[in-house]
Every structure is written in structure tokens, then in C-alpha cells.
Amino acid sequence: MNREVIEARIRELKDNYQAGQAQLRSLEAQQKDLQQTLLRISGAIQVLQELIDVPLQAEGPDTQANVMHFAR
């Protein structure tokens, strides 16, 4: 192999490396966003689970207030 061919290959590999690094950063950002979304969903599941686990009283204004408190 002559020097020009080797230098061209080095440039090509460096370009590929930089593109790979950029893609990795993008995927890491997507992973972070997905983890945040899953955390919010988990929290919503927990709140809703607590709502069905708490026995609701049929009468009284506090019942509606408790439901609204858990829903937030």
C-alpha cells in the first residue's frame, strides 16, 4: 500500500469514528429521555394503584378531595 492510500483510509476511518460517536451521543440522549418517560409512567401507575387500593367512602366531601389529591 502506498502512503496516499493509507492516509485516505485513515481519513475515512476517522470520519466513521466521528459519525459513530455522534450516533452514540444521540442514542444516549434518547435513552435518558426514555428513562424519564418510564419513570413518569411508573409514578402514574403507582398513584392509580394507590387509588384502587384505598377504600373509598360512599359519603362525605372528603372522599372527592382524597380522590383528587391522589390523582395529582
Side-chain angles (χ1 to χ4, degrees):
M1 291 182 130
N2 68 25
R3 184 176 181 89
E4 291 176 8
V5 171
I6 294 171
E7 288 174 347
R9 182 66 176 142
I10 289 171
R11 283 191 301 275
E12 181 183 352
L13 290 171
K14 284 183 177 181
D15 289 345
N16 287 340
Y17 184 84
Q18 289 176 352
Q21 291 285 37
Q23 186 176 11
L24 181 59
R25 285 190 298 274
S26 175
L27 290 171
E28 287 170 343
Q30 288 177 5
Q31 179 184 19
K32 183 180 176 184
D33 290 344
L34 182 56
Q35 286 173 332
Q36 290 296 320
T37 298
L38 291 174
L39 185 61
R40 286 193 303 274
I41 292 170
S42 174
I45 290 169
Q46 182 178 352
V47 167
L48 293 174
Q49 188 65 50
E50 289 174 7
L51 277 175
I52 62 172
D53 290 345
V54 172
L56 296 178
Q57 299 172 356
E59 67 274 350
D62 289 340
T63 302
Q64 184 65 26
N66 286 339
V67 169
M68 295 306 292
H69 174 71
F70 280 121
R72 292 184 196 148

